[in-house]
Amino acid sequence: MDHYDIVIIGAGLAGSLAAIALARDGHRVALVGPRPVIADGRTTALMDQSIEYLKALDLWDGVAPLTAPLVAIHIIDATKRLLRAPPVNFRAAEVGLKAFGYNIPNAPFLGILEKREASLPTIDRLTASATTLDFGALEVRVGLEDGRTITADLVVGADGRRSAVRGAAEIDVFTWSYPQTAVVLNFSHELPHQEVSTEFHTESGPFTQVPLPGDRSSLVWVQKPRDAEETLRLPPDLLSRTIEYRMESILGKVKVEGVPQSFPLSGMTARRFGKGRVMLVGEAAHAFPPIGAQGLNLSLRDVMTLVELLGPATGARLPADTGDRFDRRRRIDIVSRTASVDLLNRSLLSGFLPVQAIRAVGLQLLSSAGPLRGLLMREGIHPGSALRSLKESLREKIGRKSA
């Protein structure tokens, strides 16, 4: 029976990145999970902090050719409501960056991670599904569908919203749903995007264009479920014209590529993010609408925390309370990000006039107040940096007054 330091169940982006990061520190890792049957047509916008981590993992050189930088983000209030916000423009140069981050297609990104896994001698890639988990005093026993059994000091659940690891560890979840479906697709366009992402806020949710290499972009179009069904039934030429119209022709003529995919929107957060010998990362721990490029960036911070917590391999058994310590370390970040995304999404859906007023005033402040906009951008790129910057600014002012 094979024994590992860590078994990671779930071989998507979050699980694969965790396996690579832990293996680089010398831990013996089993990455368990079948390969996807259907290629993921979505893209992921990774912010500057996440890109720096990919560089630290020696992954960036392989990923970079797939990506397009995000040098600016434009938010346009496309609602027909009485109280509408002015356009807001965020530019990376305002916070001293060449780009906020980079947009990466998920399917080829996962392919690059799989190649890297194969090159690391301390990763065993097991494509069978995990069927049983037994938590003992000294180790975790994992049964696989092919009849094998493996053991490990720790288990990482990276197996998505319906996480079997989370269920086996008896960790409850808090879930909620939205009357929304996200339609995702890629398209080519006549005019260059100039590395700018444009987000149209509508009554049903955001309609967000994100640059891809060349004159191509990805789209996340959040709609009411019935409207999304009608969108998916549109012939390609009519769908292309509809998207061009929705984008106010800012990119000229549009041509949809491939077949659109759709995903019902809901939210979920685990009551605990770790327990005993179990840690939850990615959508096994938290899930929310695709707003503000928070999903995989938050998952990567799960991975960073896990790697920092465990440190380099020493040959000793990994502590049985690692999950409890991981839970304490991740709680504030996950809860605050989940709440902020939920609030932003609900503010778009609300027909309550005071809520619309608060949202419009908030965006007005961001549009006109440079320092506030800078703080928000820094917080989005490097969580916690806005608060640190504010503290340092206050200390400087107090210091000058007392001098």
Side-chain angles (χ1 to χ4, degrees):
M1 188 182 302
D2 290 326
H3 182 82
Y4 297 88
D5 297 327
I6 304 148
V7 169
I8 299 172
I9 297 178
L13 292 174
S16 295
L17 286 161
I20 291 167
L22 292 166
R24 278 174 51 88
D25 272 358
H27 296 286
R28 190 169 180 226
V29 177
L31 180 59
V32 176
R35 290 186 170 86
V37 177
I38 300 173
D40 188 346
R42 294 172 293 181
T43 65
T44 297
L46 289 182
M47 297 294 104
D48 181 70
Q49 182 186 43
S50 299
I51 296 299
E52 291 302 313
Y53 196 60
L54 292 187
K55 291 177 181 177
L57 296 178
D58 296 326
L59 289 166
W60 179 242
D61 288 346
V63 173
L66 303 172
T67 70
L70 308 179
V71 303
I73 300 171
H74 293 176
I75 297 177
I76 298 172
D77 190 337
T79 65
K80 303 296 190 293
R81 291 168 174 161
L82 177 63
L83 297 175
R84 296 176 62 191
V88 181
N89 299 322
F90 300 100
R91 295 194 172 276
E94 293 183 66
V95 287
L97 295 174
K98 292 182 179 179
F100 289 118
Y102 293 78
N103 194 31
I104 307 170
N106 287 3
F109 185 17
L110 185 58
I112 288 171
L113 298 182
E114 288 176 347
K115 289 180 182 178
R116 185 58 191 282
E117 292 157 12
S119 72
L120 293 170
T122 54
I123 294 180
D124 283 350
R125 179 69 175 92
L126 309 179
T127 56
S129 295
T131 54
T132 60
L133 288 99
D134 180 21
F135 300 100
L138 300 177
E139 62 187 17
V140 183
R141 186 181 295 257
V142 181
L144 305 179
E145 66 177 350
D146 60 9
R148 286 181 292 172
T149 300
I150 58 177
T151 59
D153 294 346
L154 304 174
V155 169
V156 174
D159 49 344
R161 296 184 185 219
R162 296 179 178 85
S163 171
V165 175
R166 190 182 63 226
E170 299 182 342
I171 296 175
D172 292 332
V173 296
F174 177 63
T175 63
W176 61 98
S177 60
Y178 302 96
Q180 297 167 296
T181 295
V183 174
V184 298
L185 55 87
N186 297 335
F187 63 95
S188 59
H189 38 81
E190 184 180 19
L191 302 177
H193 49 54
Q194 299 181 324
E195 300 170 345
V196 174
S197 173
T198 303
E199 185 169 309
F200 295 85
H201 285 186
T202 76
E203 291 89 346
S204 62
F207 176 100
T208 306
Q209 165 266 333
V210 189
L212 287 170
D215 292 334
R216 300 173 61 246
S217 293
S218 62
L219 177 71
V220 179
W221 185 359
V222 177
Q223 301 174 270
K224 295 177 181 177
R226 184 173 296 178
D227 293 339
E229 291 175 7
E230 293 178 1
T231 296
L232 293 173
R233 286 197 294 265
L234 291 176
D237 56 342
L238 182 54
L239 178 56
S240 298
R241 290 197 299 271
T242 302
I243 291 169
E244 180 185 344
Y245 172 77
R246 288 276 182 171
M247 293 198 64
E248 301 175 2
S249 296
I250 61 174
L251 295 177
K253 187 177 180 180
V254 162
K255 184 177 181 180
V256 171
E257 301 174 349
V259 179
Q261 295 177 311
S262 67
F263 302 88
L265 295 193
S266 62
M268 182 279 295
T269 182
R271 300 288 187 180
R272 295 177 58 91
F273 309 112
K275 178 182 176 183
R277 297 185 181 275
V278 173
M279 288 77 65
L280 303 176
V281 303
E283 290 198 343
H286 45 76
F288 41 69
I291 295 174
Q294 293 300 313
L296 187 59
N297 291 284
L298 187 60
S299 300
L300 263 171
R301 295 201 295 278
D302 295 339
V303 173
M304 294 177 203
T305 302
L306 178 58
V307 171
E308 182 182 342
L309 197 62
L310 294 178
T314 63
R317 284 290 185 104
L318 297 174
D321 67 341
T322 302
D324 301 288
R325 291 185 291 130
F326 179 80
D327 173 65
R328 292 192 292 271
R329 291 277 297 274
R330 293 300 298 139
R331 182 158 296 278
I332 292 176
D333 185 22
I334 293 173
V335 170
S336 63
R337 291 288 151 166
T338 302
S340 62
V341 170
D342 179 63
L343 180 62
L344 177 57
N345 191 43
R346 291 186 189 279
S347 74
L348 283 172
L349 295 173
S350 177
F352 191 44
L353 199 60
V355 173
Q356 296 175 25
I358 292 169
R359 179 177 166 275
V361 169
L363 288 174
Q364 175 68 58
L365 284 172
L366 289 177
S367 178
S368 58
L372 179 61
R373 189 170 60 249
L375 281 173
L376 182 67
M377 286 189 285
R378 290 187 183 93
E379 183 62 23
I381 298 164
H382 293 282
S385 62
L387 183 59
R388 288 193 296 270
S389 177
L390 190 59
K391 287 180 178 177
E392 290 169 5
S393 177
L394 289 173
R395 285 197 195 101
E396 288 177 6
K397 288 181 180 179
I398 293 169
R400 283 197 296 268
K401 287 181 179 179
S402 58

